Amino acid sequence: MNKRHRQPQSTTIAFWNANGLSTKKTELEEFVQRHQLDAVLIDETHLRASNRLILPNFRVYRTDRENARGGGTAILVKSTAVTVNLATGPVKLVAAYKAPNRQLLEDDLCEIFDTRGAVILAGDLNAKHPSWNLRQTNASGTCLRRLADDLHLLVDATAEPTIYPHNGQPDVLIMKDVAQFHQLTVLNELSSDHNPVLLQLGQAAPEDEEPRMRNTMSWPAFADHLSAHIGPITAIGGSIELEAAVRSHGARIRQRTVRNQHLACHRRQGLHPQGSPRPDTGEEPARKIMAENVKPG
């Protein structure tokens, strides 16, 4: 009888520019065990075919650069499966590296992401753009931004540097059709001019030392608040009633806004017309509603 395998509820992946891996295998193995990783994406391995790369309980997929110095990538995946299985299904993993003096090629990325199913690409692409926490922009970053828009890709990077002493952030994460929540964390570990980045998916995100308070909103109380401050909300039975309600409430909101702005101008000038009520900002009723109806879950 075939057994159905449960999909993991969380996945932890690291990506790292090793700047040469041949002398760092022992610390890599300790790093993988310490963080209980499901996969590792490594670029700039600098390995040749004669260099062995073995990690207990992991399958190793590598691409060595034989015709030039440097370069090389490797993907290490737990030997329980060839592909990593997320709670939403299998995902294709890609480790990538692009030298700073080379242009990012759209055709290469299209070939990787123009496929069905989820894809995670991570590595040192030297692609800079403000969209992923970088202050500068270069040609590769502009290219990646355009491609992300066209193919509906999520591009992310850490807010803190991953390379020293340059204090840069050349390492990026690109995901396609990965519906799970993700978190990136830079770790000050391993011997390289690049720090490794931990990618945590799903329930792998670390728990706070103190339990978080989950708030729930009382929507009936919110409706009562709206009725009290912008007027009663009548029942809507069709498109005509909906349009009429939108126009009516829109006019009331505009009137309230203009009135409050007028009174605010008087206050800034040190004036307050006698007999005119103070502007209702809604802050006190909002605080009351939150205090009475928002309960820790």
Side-chain angles (χ1 to χ4, degrees):
M1 186 176 74
N2 293 332
K3 295 183 178 180
R4 295 183 63 184
H5 297 283
R6 293 183 59 191
Q7 300 289 351
Q9 297 301 309
S10 61
T11 304
T12 305
I13 301 170
F15 55 99
W16 175 47
N17 183 323
N19 194 21
L21 188 58
S22 60
T23 62
K24 305 171 184 176
K25 299 174 186 176
T26 300
E27 64 173 324
L28 175 62
E29 181 178 345
E30 294 173 351
F31 175 79
V32 168
Q33 293 177 349
R34 182 164 59 254
H35 294 283
Q36 299 181 340
L37 300 179
D38 297 292
V40 190
L41 310 181
I42 306 174
D43 52 80
E44 285 213 271
T45 58
H46 299 182
L47 297 178
R48 298 291 178 262
S50 58
N51 300 128
R52 298 182 65 191
L53 179 56
I54 300 175
L55 201 67
N57 302 318
F58 274 76
R59 296 177 185 268
V60 179
Y61 305 88
R62 48 189 275 195
T63 302
D64 302 328
R65 182 184 291 178
E66 297 290 348
N67 57 355
R69 296 182 60 186
T73 60
I75 300 177
L76 286 66
V77 183
K78 274 188 177 178
S79 56
T80 53
V82 175
T83 57
V84 170
N85 288 301
L86 305 180
T88 52
V91 59
K92 174 183 176 182
L93 298 179
V94 181
Y97 172 73
K98 183 195 72 67
N101 59 346
R102 293 181 178 272
Q103 176 59 31
L104 191 67
L105 300 179
E106 286 193 29
D107 291 343
D108 291 343
L109 290 178
C110 285
E111 184 177 353
I112 293 171
F113 289 101
D114 190 13
T115 181
R116 292 187 177 184
V119 181
I120 294 177
L121 182 151
D124 183 356
L125 297 184
N126 289 291
K128 301 178 181 180
H129 198 277
S131 297
W132 42 89
N133 297 323
L134 298 176
R135 296 181 179 179
Q136 298 177 330
T137 302
N138 59 11
S140 294
T142 301
C143 171
L144 180 55
R145 174 72 268 181
R146 181 171 59 250
L147 194 65
D149 292 337
D150 293 342
L151 299 182
H152 307 291
L153 308 177
L154 185 150
V155 184
D156 199 4
T158 60
E160 58 183 298
T162 59
I163 180 173
Y164 295 91
H166 306 292
N167 295 327
Q169 299 140 280
D171 302 288
V172 299
L173 167 72
I174 310 174
M175 299 196 296
K176 171 181 174 285
D177 294 340
V178 178
Q180 290 180 300
F181 169 80
H182 79 277
Q183 178 175 316
L184 295 176
T185 306
V186 180
L187 301 176
N188 187 21
E189 301 183 38
L190 298 175
S191 302
S192 173
D193 56 347
H194 288 248
N195 280 339
V197 180
L198 206 64
L199 165 62
Q200 298 168 295
L201 294 163
Q203 297 178 358
E207 297 181 359
D208 294 336
E209 294 182 1
E210 298 182 358
R212 290 185 176 183
M213 300 295 289
R214 184 176 61 185
N215 293 331
T216 56
M217 185 66 185
S218 172
W219 293 111
F222 179 66
D224 292 342
H225 174 71
L226 291 180
S227 297
H229 293 279
I230 67 172
I233 301 176
T234 58
I236 297 174
S239 59
I240 297 178
E241 290 87 348
L242 176 61
E243 292 178 4
V246 169
R247 288 195 297 270
S248 174
H249 288 295
R252 292 177 184 177
I253 292 173
R254 286 193 295 273
Q255 291 173 0
R256 180 63 62 86
T257 301
V258 170
R259 174 175 169 273
N260 284 350
Q261 289 174 344
H262 174 72
L263 294 178
C265 290
H266 278 281
R267 285 204 311 275
R268 284 196 295 268
Q269 297 170 2
L271 303 174
H272 190 77
Q274 291 186 355
S276 64
R278 294 187 177 276
D280 179 11
T281 62
E283 292 180 358
E284 290 302 323
R287 292 195 190 99
K288 184 178 181 181
I289 288 176
M290 292 294 288
E292 295 179 352
N293 299 285
V294 179
K295 306 171 183 176

